[in-house]
Amino acid sequence: MSALLEVSGVSVTFDGFRAINNLSFNIAAQELRAIIGPNGAGKTTFMDIVTGKTRPDEGSVTFGERSVSLLSLSEAQIARAGVGRKFQRPTVFEDQSVFDNLMMALKKPRGPLAVLMFRASKGDARKVRDLAEEVGLGDQLERKSGELSHGQKQWLEIGMLLAQEPRLLLVDEPAAGMTLAEREHTTALLVEMAKTRAVVVVEHDMDFVRRLDCKVTVLHEGSVLAEGTLDHVTKNPSVIEVYLGRG
Amino acid sequence: MTQGFLAKNPSVLIFLAALALFTLAVTLLSHAYGVSFLSTSFVKTLGKTLCLCLIALAMDLVWGYAGILSLGHFAFFGLGGYMIGMWLMYARTEEIVVQALSGAPLPPTPEEIVSGIGTQIFGVVGGSEIPWVWSFAHSLPLQLMLVVLVPGLLALAFGWLAFRSRVTGVYLSILTQAMTLALALYLFQNDSGLRGNNGLSGLQNMPGQGAVTQDQLSVWFLWASALALGLGYLLCAWVVSGKFGSVIRAIRDDEQRVRFLGYSVESYKLAVFTLTAIIAAIAGALYYPQAGIINPAELAPIASIYLAVWVAIGGRGRLYGAVIGAAFVSLLSSWFTGGRAPSINLGFYTVNWVDWWLILLGLAFVLVTLFAPQGIGGLFDLWQGAKHPKRRGAPLGPDDGSFQEKEAVE
């Protein structure tokens, strides 16, 4: 199985602090992967590097069959290449309706002129409705997304990611601040999505990771500490030490 | 498609109808075509106000919708005025020179005419050579092209440099102020070729239309300004109605998120900045023939700040709000500063409105920003029974230009 995303030897330093230290790992084209690690382990920085927000000092990040380097692309180009990102805090466009949010995310030409001339066809509208159905917002299309509950905003954001049709999805703490029922819905959504694409979930919450039932990568001080099933890594003595402290 | 667009945006039709009614009413009350109720100078003031409404539309598009607080759009307005002013002045002077030389025994050569024009126009700055920037001034079509091209290219170059370096928020505002100040200072120089601080004058005279009185001309320009405002309104409403409008409002509230959706934020900002600069330039090209004179003081940084104040008071993020704000505040301003507002005698102090108007305006701006962020446009929501969300009044996005919840309508 060839890798979709290949991160090798990446390091990044902020004002002398090594946030990522010689990090290397691969993600396959259809895979659900959880990344865990204590605060400051470099989880968010890793996402920033893959999506183009932060440039690493050294190393390489390649994507897709033709191994395109992501390091020379802008954020928008990376997104168009097929990398979607979901932020920890739900970030939807609150002043606009659920429908408009999804329509903006729908995979279509992104240039200013094409967008200016764009008028949604019946097929586009149907796609948006189907997506809204899929994430459980079918009856909320006309509402402004700012009025949605926290959990609904998270789903809307997931719906927007689906609309982008990314090949790799980076999800930052999807379960934060969710009720139990919302968590179960979210887990089901993520597992379903990973059947057709790569999904990387960065998470703090061990219960949630257990529910995902997938390969886990443990980060610590900017590099990979352990990799395997959740049971496997939680038995790893160095992981236990990192999580329970050195006391 | 157009039908669907107007059906979905009823406010556009209402606005166009109101504008047509207004134009008809002014025409019927004018000196030239009606009952002589309105003085010609007031018709000119109304025509100029329509041009200010047009640049306010541009400001609303760039600030209210795209979140770019440009404090330099009056530079484009002024440049548009200069470009049309060059033709007006050149062609008018040519007429005068030809007439003056026609009494001579020999018909004048083209060189004599050109040197006569040069002396006439540039004598005031101690020159008689026609500078190269006037190369196209003899031709109306060429100079009309420059009305669009010069401000458009300046906006394109400035925007490209600023947006590419991801300058945002207050830093961008300061940069645009610097741009308009630099341009004004450049034009103040006598050797800039545009007559320094004298500016261009006599623009109210239409070359080749000597038989047309100012009474008629003022109404003609009112019609042209109303037409431009109507078309500008249609264009802006069309631009913001579709997905493009969605994307620029999204950029206003959270541009980083828009990048992760795959949109190149910089090219959108550049497109909006340049388009609005061109609208501003067209507004200026219609304004200054009615004003009669343009000089570099018109490009002063404060003018562009007023523009932001008009849009804020009218209600940003809605096109008719910008128009109402510009019309209301600029007419009120000319009433107060024209000395027509009665002074208030407090016994110990006389409130002279010419001095106090700016303070009143500043106070109104602060109060509107604090207590009625929807501006005058918010009155329409009240009337329609639309509710404003009252959750926290927090910004709807992390960016500096983002909408506040208090500005949004549910």
Side-chain angles (χ1 to χ4, degrees), chain A residues 80 91 96 104 110 119 144, chain B residues 238 246 261-263 268 409:
Chain A
R80 285 199 294 267
T91 45
Q96 305 193 38
M104 228 187 299
R110 298 292 209 223
R119 288 295 177 264
K144 285 224 172 159
Chain B
W238 179 72
S246 235
L261 277 181
Y263 292 97
Y268 280 81
V409 182

Side-chain angles (χ1 to χ4, degrees), chain A residues 51 75-76 79-80 87 91 93 95-96 104 108 110-112 115-116 118-119 144 146-147 157 164, chain B residues 166 238 243-244 246-247 249-250 252 254 256-263 268 391 396 403 408-410:
Chain A
T51 52
E75 289 106 311
R80 285 199 294 267
F87 290 83
T91 45
F93 302 109
D95 191 40
Q96 305 193 38
M104 228 187 299
K108 290 276 160 193
R110 298 292 209 223
V115 169
L116 186 61
F118 174 84
R119 288 295 177 264
K144 285 224 172 159
E147 298 169 41
E157 203 179 356
Q164 267 177 274
Chain B
R166 300 217 174 152
W238 179 72
K243 193 157 103 169
F244 191 87
S246 235
V247 173
R249 283 186 293 150
R252 170 191 71 200
D254 191 348
Q256 193 58 31
R257 180 75 182 87
V258 179
R259 282 198 189 99
F260 287 129
L261 277 181
Y263 292 97
Y268 280 81
R391 292 187 292 273
L396 293 179
F403 241 36
V409 182
E410 273 182 5

Side-chain angles (χ1 to χ4, degrees), chain A residues 142-212:
Chain A
E142 294 311 315
R143 281 182 75 186
K144 285 224 172 159
S145 58
E147 298 169 41
L148 301 176
S149 76
H150 180 83
Q152 285 174 319
K153 281 183 197 168
Q154 299 273 33
W155 295 336
L156 173 57
E157 203 179 356
I158 291 173
M160 288 166 74
L161 283 170
L162 288 174
Q164 267 177 274
E165 298 176 21
R167 302 185 56 205
L168 168 67
L169 204 53
L170 303 171
V171 190
D172 201 351
E173 300 203 16
M178 278 196 172
T179 64
L180 196 64
E182 286 173 337
R183 271 163 186 250
E184 273 166 11
H185 184 146
T186 309
T187 318
L189 273 174
L190 290 173
V191 171
E192 183 59 34
M193 283 194 292
K195 285 181 182 156
T196 50
R197 74 203 77 205
V199 178
V200 176
V201 181
V202 166
E203 192 45 85
H204 231 54
D205 184 333
M206 285 298 184
D207 283 342
F208 188 78
V209 174
R210 189 172 299 283
R211 236 186 286 249
L212 288 176

Side-chain angles (χ1 to χ4, degrees), chain B residues 52-81:
Chain B
L52 297 178
C53 293
L54 183 56
I55 189 181
L57 270 185
M59 184 66 187
D60 200 22
L61 194 57
V62 76
W63 181 39
Y65 284 89
I68 306 163
L69 178 52
S70 161
L71 296 177
H73 265 57
F74 252 96
F76 306 124
F77 186 86
L79 271 182

Side-chain angles (χ1 to χ4, degrees), chain A residues 39-180:
Chain A
N39 283 332
K43 303 183 300 260
T44 303
T45 312
F46 154 72
M47 284 191 154
D48 285 347
I49 289 171
V50 175
T51 52
K53 200 177 171 191
T54 303
R55 303 274 168 216
D57 304 329
E58 53 189 77
S60 73
V61 180
T62 58
F63 181 73
E65 286 77 25
R66 285 188 289 152
S67 294
V68 185
S69 169
L70 295 184
L71 299 182
S72 55
L73 302 182
S74 72
E75 289 106 311
Q77 285 169 324
I78 291 174
R80 285 199 294 267
V83 179
R85 177 173 187 179
K86 199 204 148 310
F87 290 83
Q88 190 171 339
R89 211 169 50 84
T91 45
V92 296
F93 302 109
E94 308 217 346
D95 191 40
Q96 305 193 38
S97 68
V98 171
F99 184 88
D100 285 345
N101 268 283
L102 288 169
M103 189 55 93
M104 228 187 299
L106 207 62
K107 191 171 183 181
K108 290 276 160 193
R110 298 292 209 223
L113 203 62
V115 169
L116 186 61
M117 295 300 162
F118 174 84
R119 288 295 177 264
S121 68
K122 284 211 173 72
D124 298 332
R126 187 158 9 89
K127 255 191 215 164
V128 166
R129 261 191 290 280
D130 290 348
L131 276 166
E133 238 19 278
E134 196 179 337
V135 294
L137 293 171
D139 49 352
Q140 314 279 342
L141 276 172
E142 294 311 315
R143 281 182 75 186
K144 285 224 172 159
S145 58
E147 298 169 41
L148 301 176
S149 76
H150 180 83
Q152 285 174 319
K153 281 183 197 168
Q154 299 273 33
W155 295 336
L156 173 57
E157 203 179 356
I158 291 173
M160 288 166 74
L161 283 170
L162 288 174
Q164 267 177 274
E165 298 176 21
R167 302 185 56 205
L168 168 67
L169 204 53
L170 303 171
V171 190
D172 201 351
E173 300 203 16
M178 278 196 172
T179 64
L180 196 64

